[in-house]
Amino acid sequence: MKHTIGLIKLQESNHLIPNITRHRPLATIPFAGRYRLIDFILSNMVNSGIEDVGILLPEQPASVLDHIRSGKDWDLVRRHSGLFYLPFPNTETAKRNELEAFYHYLAFLERSTKDYVLLANGHTVFNMDFNPVLRFHQNTDADITMLYCNAPKDMKASYTILKTAADGLVNDIAICPSAKVGEKTGMGIYLISRHIFIDIVRYAYEHGGFSLLLDGIMQLQDKYRILGYPYNGYVSIINSTQSYYQTSMDLLNANNWRDVFNGEHPIYTRTKDDLPTHYNQAAKTHNCLISSGCQIEGEVENSILFRNVLVRKGAKIKNSIIMQKCTIDADTILENVICDKNVLVKSGNRLKGAPNYPFIVEKDTVI
């Protein structure tokens, strides 16, 4: 993949997870105890041998810049290549026009010597080597290769649904408000010849388009050879509160965890040094993911605790996600709850959500 430039698009709608993305973009939502969602696509690109990665920053980029910084933790600090930040265009229309950001940075792509562009979003959880995708793209003489997975169940949110022939040729592309089990669901990841990507962006934007998929790829579908490439491992597109919560709970299953976090292709994140977690004699834990720096005095079951969480004696946490530096005081009960960073739940509180509608406590809240 040395002849491919990675492009990560972070101008993503946050309206489906408003409570968690009020202070951060979708791509930097904390996930799985110590990671952020953007870590997955960034690590996959690096593990596949991509040396140049451009990040199209969101309108409020502070948390992205703070997390990734120079790219050192992903081995992207290099003399003539590596990580490139592409700031959000300072125009009113850029907020609702993703093509404007691509068009704004066409010169960046035109100066590149790479043959291909791997375009992806920052909110898909999976672990994949892109080298077989490149070989498929080359062997089939494709202009555009769209990655897809088979929907594991009926899902409600906006999805791209593909129909393909036996040889993988895409016959139809549709944007649907839901995906039915077994349907070929686009992952928002495209491998495109660089000059074709530039041509599509220029044509679509200069003809009044707003979306690369709707106004570019779908409008020009008859002009280009578009193929679908199936991904059969664990994958989840985080596009709602429910999908975030369910994906987090999925990782408590050992098989899913091994699929996403395997030693052959590690997922990198910003390195932080913390003390080991301390378990009090009264502590009870079962089927949990608990990060470093925590202090556990109560009971935790089927839950994910991020760094430096304090669980006081008598507290009971079940089926919940507790982010960094939260304090759960004594004699509290939390079930099906998501606590954002720096939350304090005082003694005696009972917070309970439903598996399909978790109770969310926003960042820096005291209850």
Side-chain angles (χ1 to χ4, degrees):
M1 300 289 287
K2 291 186 177 182
H3 299 290
T4 302
I5 183 170
L7 201 58
I8 303 176
K9 175 178 68 71
L10 301 187
Q11 287 91 357
E12 299 154 337
S13 174
N14 299 338
H15 71 279
L16 292 175
I17 319 181
N19 305 85
I20 304 176
T21 57
R22 200 178 307 280
H23 305 285
R24 60 172 76 89
L26 191 59
T28 56
I29 291 178
F31 184 77
R34 59 189 293 260
Y35 300 90
R36 303 292 180 111
L37 292 181
I38 194 174
D39 292 341
F40 294 90
I41 184 59
L42 198 54
S43 298
N44 289 337
M45 287 183 173
V46 170
N47 289 335
S48 300
I50 294 177
E51 297 176 341
D52 289 357
V53 177
I55 298 181
L56 288 160
L57 291 171
E59 185 179 10
Q60 297 178 334
S63 65
V64 179
L65 298 173
D66 179 67
H67 179 64
I68 300 176
R69 302 195 176 190
S70 67
K72 178 182 177 181
D73 293 301
W74 294 265
D75 192 28
L76 285 172
V77 179
R78 304 181 184 185
R79 189 170 184 179
H80 299 296
S81 60
L83 184 66
F84 300 88
Y85 286 120
L86 307 175
F88 189 82
N90 188 24
T91 66
E92 285 298 321
T93 56
K95 296 179 182 180
R96 58 183 183 274
N97 189 343
E98 72 167 8
L99 276 173
E100 183 167 342
F102 294 133
Y103 190 83
H104 190 79
Y105 289 108
L106 281 185
F108 167 76
L109 293 170
E110 289 171 337
R111 287 195 302 268
S112 174
T113 59
K114 307 300 183 182
D115 297 323
Y116 305 98
V117 173
L118 182 67
L119 174 66
N121 60 54
H123 59 270
T124 302
V125 175
F126 70 122
N127 191 325
M128 182 180 189
D129 180 4
F130 291 118
N131 283 285
V133 183
L134 178 60
R135 290 194 292 271
F136 173 85
H137 184 88
Q138 294 170 331
N139 293 337
T140 56
D141 198 27
D143 295 317
I144 303 170
T145 296
M146 301 178 65
L147 273 68
Y148 70 85
C149 62
N150 294 314
K153 58 184 178 180
D154 291 347
M155 302 181 293
K156 292 184 178 180
S158 180
Y159 290 99
T160 302
I161 305 300
L162 308 181
K163 291 185 179 180
T164 64
D167 61 354
L169 190 67
V170 174
N171 296 325
D172 190 30
I173 307 171
I175 308 297
C176 300
S178 62
K180 296 180 180 179
V181 60
E183 284 190 316
K184 297 176 180 178
T185 306
M187 295 170 58
I189 302 172
Y190 309 86
L191 182 62
I192 311 176
S193 300
R194 183 174 59 89
H195 69 278
I196 291 177
F197 179 75
I198 292 171
D199 289 345
I200 291 174
V201 170
R202 180 171 282 118
Y203 172 86
Y205 181 75
E206 292 177 354
H207 284 77
F210 290 85
S211 165
L212 176 71
L213 178 61
L214 286 171
D215 303 308
I217 294 174
M218 291 175 68
Q219 292 295 325
L220 300 171
Q221 188 174 347
D222 294 336
K223 182 178 178 180
Y224 296 110
R225 181 172 169 81
I226 306 175
L227 281 92
Y229 183 92
Y231 175 68
N232 298 317
Y234 180 89
V235 59
S236 181
I237 302 167
I238 307 298
N239 53 11
S240 67
T241 301
Q242 173 58 21
S243 63
Y244 171 75
Y245 176 78
Q246 188 57 57
T247 303
S248 299
M249 295 296 104
D250 284 349
L251 294 183
L252 296 176
N253 179 301
N255 292 329
N256 293 333
W257 176 267
R258 284 191 292 266
D259 200 354
V260 175
F261 297 98
N262 64 70
E264 187 177 354
H265 301 108
I267 301 298
Y268 306 103
T269 191
R270 180 182 168 189
T271 301
K272 293 182 180 180
D273 295 325
D274 282 311
L275 294 171
T277 288
H278 174 74
Y279 296 87
N280 186 277
Q281 288 185 344
K284 295 181 180 179
T285 60
H286 174 70
N287 194 36
C288 295
L289 175 59
I290 300 177
S291 298
S292 57
C294 295
Q295 184 173 337
I296 313 298
E297 301 171 0
E299 299 180 18
V300 187
E301 180 182 354
N302 296 324
S303 296
I304 298 174
L305 272 56
F306 286 70
R307 294 181 174 105
N308 301 306
V309 171
L310 173 58
V311 181
R312 295 290 191 187
K313 187 175 181 180
K316 296 181 180 181
I317 300 173
K318 184 177 180 181
N319 302 331
S320 296
I321 302 168
I322 313 298
M323 295 188 192
Q324 299 97 305
K325 297 181 180 180
C326 289
T327 298
I328 313 302
D329 267 346
D331 302 316
T332 58
I333 297 177
L334 276 63
E335 185 173 355
N336 301 319
V337 173
I338 300 175
C339 287
D340 206 334
K341 297 172 62 176
N342 301 315
V343 165
L344 169 60
V345 181
K346 292 186 176 180
S347 298
N349 277 290
R350 306 290 189 268
L351 306 180
K352 185 174 181 179
N356 60 345
Y357 198 82
F359 185 90
I360 300 176
V361 185
E362 292 195 38
K363 182 180 178 182
D364 299 322
T365 300
V366 177
I367 297 180

